[in-house]
Amino acid sequence: MKHNGKILVVLILSLIAFTVSSYAVSVMENKQYSSLNSIGEVSGETVILHATAVETLTPTPVPTATATPSPTPTNTPTPTPTNTPTPSPTPTPVVIDIVISAVGDVTLGINQKQSYDRSFHEYYDTYGADYFLQNVKEYFEADDFTIVNLEGTLTNSDNIRPAKEWNHKGRPEYTEILTNASVEAVSLGNNHIMDYQWDGVEDTIKYVSESGMEYALSGPWGNHYGIYETEKGIKIGYVSVNEYYDGDSVYKYLEEGLQELRDNGAALVFACTHWGDDKTHIINTDQYKMGHWCIDAGYDLVLGCHPHVLQGIECYNGKYIVYSMGNFCYGGNKNPAEKSSMIYQQTFTFVDGVLQEKTSIRVIPCRLSSVTWRNDYCPVVLTGEDAEAWAEEMNSYCEEFGLQFNTEGYLIQ
């Protein structure tokens, strides 16, 4: 029985071991891991079982999902409204129109062969300074710049130039005839400035300058380039030469004068040219040559004198050449055969200080006397049938250049 008891104990222990093993397997399947300590008792004997080590596989730990914390709401700042800048208005262009007036030969006085009767002197002594330009003063006052060719001297000298057929001389106070009628400038580059030699030249320059008028003269008898600043701030420069006497030598004055005047700020520069043949409407080759040269060199306008009669007007490369403006207020002849005259006007436009290419011209029809049968030294603007006759005459001189004017002197083609 003693042996049988031992066998029973072994059987019990085997059963217990099997049970424990099965439990361990169950634990593994449920992924639970533990150590097992079992104590068994059998009939009066205590059997202590230490099932301490049931080796198990350590599983790879499953990462615990970490909850992503909800973002802490932030206060989005309200955008500060920005002031949209108001666009600056487009500046208005500054437009300046400059109107110039020019007339031909003005002889304030007489020549050495004239008597006092019906002379310029007599009319001055009778009617005063304001008489002579009373009919055209309004045109000169309305413009920005008026220039005349002063054909003669203003002097008290008797130092006449010998061997000259016509020597013109006026009184020094005759400058007021021009200044009272709003004349700003004179050209002196002509064949009469030396009629009373150096005395006459110096006196004329003196009295013109003292009157406040500008002058220009280039050649053997002096060299001065004229420049005048208008009330609108535009400077006008001009060169005055006597091609009739000095020939091609005047080109150097024209070239040097143009450069000097531009350097001194002249926005407009004119060439005043004393040229051509006396008392003919035919333009000679030297006039064509010099006129075109002046425009090509950079002059804005060419104003011609000397023939004592009207000649044509040419638009060359967009700029004008007035070949002869004829006589205007002319004391050198008591009754010239041809009395047709003109006031040449041109409007130059500047936009923000830049001279524009487009200009407009007007050739105001005039006669050098208010009457037809003699010279009363009082130029008049023509109207009616007189203006029609003038337009027909002037248009015949301009036909070769394709220019035509109506009876008021406006360009129609």
Side-chain angles (χ1 to χ4, degrees):
M1 285 299 292
K2 188 175 182 178
H3 292 287
N4 290 339
K6 289 180 180 181
I7 291 170
L8 180 62
V9 171
V10 170
L11 288 172
I12 291 171
L13 290 174
S14 297
L15 179 62
I16 292 171
F18 174 78
T19 302
V20 172
S21 297
S22 298
Y23 179 77
V25 171
S26 175
V27 171
M28 287 179 65
E29 288 176 353
N30 291 309
K31 297 184 178 180
Q32 297 178 0
Y33 310 97
S34 65
S35 297
L36 176 62
N37 291 316
S38 298
I39 301 175
E41 293 182 358
V42 180
S43 298
E45 288 183 283
T46 302
V47 179
I48 300 174
L49 297 175
H50 295 282
T52 57
V54 177
E55 185 175 347
T56 63
L57 298 173
T58 303
T60 302
V62 177
T64 304
T66 303
T68 303
S70 298
T72 303
T74 57
N75 293 325
T76 303
T78 303
T80 303
T82 57
N83 294 325
T84 303
T86 303
S88 301
T90 302
T92 303
V94 178
V95 180
I96 298 176
D97 286 333
I98 297 294
V99 179
I100 69 98
S101 300
V103 298
D105 296 341
V106 172
T107 298
L108 306 179
I110 64 174
N111 66 59
Q112 80 275 26
K113 298 180 180 180
Q114 288 177 316
S115 64
Y116 181 79
D117 180 49
R118 294 191 298 109
S119 69
F120 192 94
H121 288 333
E122 184 183 45
Y123 274 83
Y124 180 87
D125 294 339
T126 303
Y127 302 110
D130 292 342
Y131 160 80
F132 298 94
L133 299 179
Q134 61 181 309
N135 297 321
V136 295
K137 178 180 179 180
E138 62 180 289
Y139 296 93
F140 299 163
E141 288 180 330
D143 66 19
D144 298 285
F145 177 75
T146 303
I147 184 170
V148 309
N149 175 53
L150 185 57
E151 181 94 336
T153 61
L154 300 176
T155 182
N156 290 318
S157 173
D158 292 324
N159 187 19
I160 194 168
R161 188 178 184 187
K164 194 168 186 292
E165 185 175 8
W166 311 106
N167 297 73
H168 297 327
K169 181 174 75 169
R171 301 169 187 167
E173 60 267 29
Y174 286 177
T175 55
E176 66 180 341
I177 296 172
L178 302 178
T179 57
N180 289 0
S182 190
V183 174
E184 284 80 26
V186 299
S187 58
L188 298 179
N190 55 60
N191 60 314
H192 288 280
I193 186 61
M194 74 291 293
D195 282 358
Y196 285 78
Q197 305 198 65
W198 280 111
D199 292 344
V201 175
E202 292 172 353
D203 287 345
T204 303
I205 292 173
K206 175 178 182 291
Y207 296 128
V208 166
S209 299
E210 288 178 352
S211 75
M213 290 185 290
E214 185 54 76
Y215 79 94
L217 167 65
S218 293
W221 297 88
N223 188 42
H224 176 78
Y225 306 123
I227 191 165
Y228 174 82
E229 184 170 356
T230 69
E231 293 181 356
K232 298 174 182 177
I234 300 297
K235 290 183 178 181
I236 300 174
Y238 64 105
V239 180
S240 178
V241 297
N242 178 16
E243 188 274 341
Y244 181 72
Y245 270 10
D246 302 330
D248 287 350
S249 67
V250 302
Y251 279 99
K252 68 176 181 179
Y253 299 113
L254 290 168
E255 186 172 9
E256 292 172 359
L258 175 63
Q259 185 61 53
E260 181 175 314
L261 291 167
R262 293 295 190 197
D263 290 344
N264 289 330
L268 294 171
V269 182
F270 308 151
C272 298
T273 52
H274 211 73
W275 58 8
D277 299 319
D278 199 12
K279 298 178 182 178
T280 178
H281 305 287
I282 300 173
I283 302 165
N284 68 32
T285 56
D286 290 334
Q287 289 174 274
Y288 287 122
K289 173 187 172 185
M290 183 170 289
H292 291 179
W293 182 93
C294 287
I295 299 301
D296 290 338
Y299 280 91
D300 298 297
L301 174 64
V302 179
L303 299 169
C305 291
H306 175 68
H308 298 291
V309 295
L310 297 178
Q311 292 181 343
I313 298 173
E314 180 182 9
C315 183
Y316 172 75
N317 287 345
K319 298 181 180 181
Y320 289 93
I321 303 169
V322 186
Y323 282 101
S324 177
M325 295 179 284
N327 292 328
F328 194 68
C329 182
Y330 189 70
N333 191 327
K334 293 181 180 180
N335 191 19
E338 294 200 34
K339 297 181 177 64
S340 294
S341 187
M342 69 160 76
I343 299 172
Y344 176 83
Q345 287 193 331
Q346 185 164 344
T347 301
F348 297 89
T349 300
F350 293 83
V351 177
D352 292 335
V354 179
L355 177 63
Q356 304 301 293
E357 292 184 2
K358 186 176 181 180
T359 63
S360 62
I361 69 170
R362 183 186 182 190
V363 184
I364 301 173
C366 295
R367 187 173 56 231
L368 59 77
S369 173
S370 65
V371 296
T372 59
W373 60 89
R374 59 181 169 84
N375 188 1
D376 64 3
Y377 318 107
C378 188
V380 63
V381 175
L382 300 177
T383 58
E385 292 181 357
D386 290 334
E388 291 177 4
W390 177 93
E392 184 177 355
E393 177 189 357
M394 189 65 198
N395 288 338
S396 69
Y397 307 143
C398 296
E399 186 174 4
E400 66 173 299
F401 305 118
L403 301 183
Q404 297 286 281
F405 299 91
N406 65 19
T407 57
E408 294 182 335
Y410 290 105
L411 189 64
I412 57 177
Q413 73 176 54

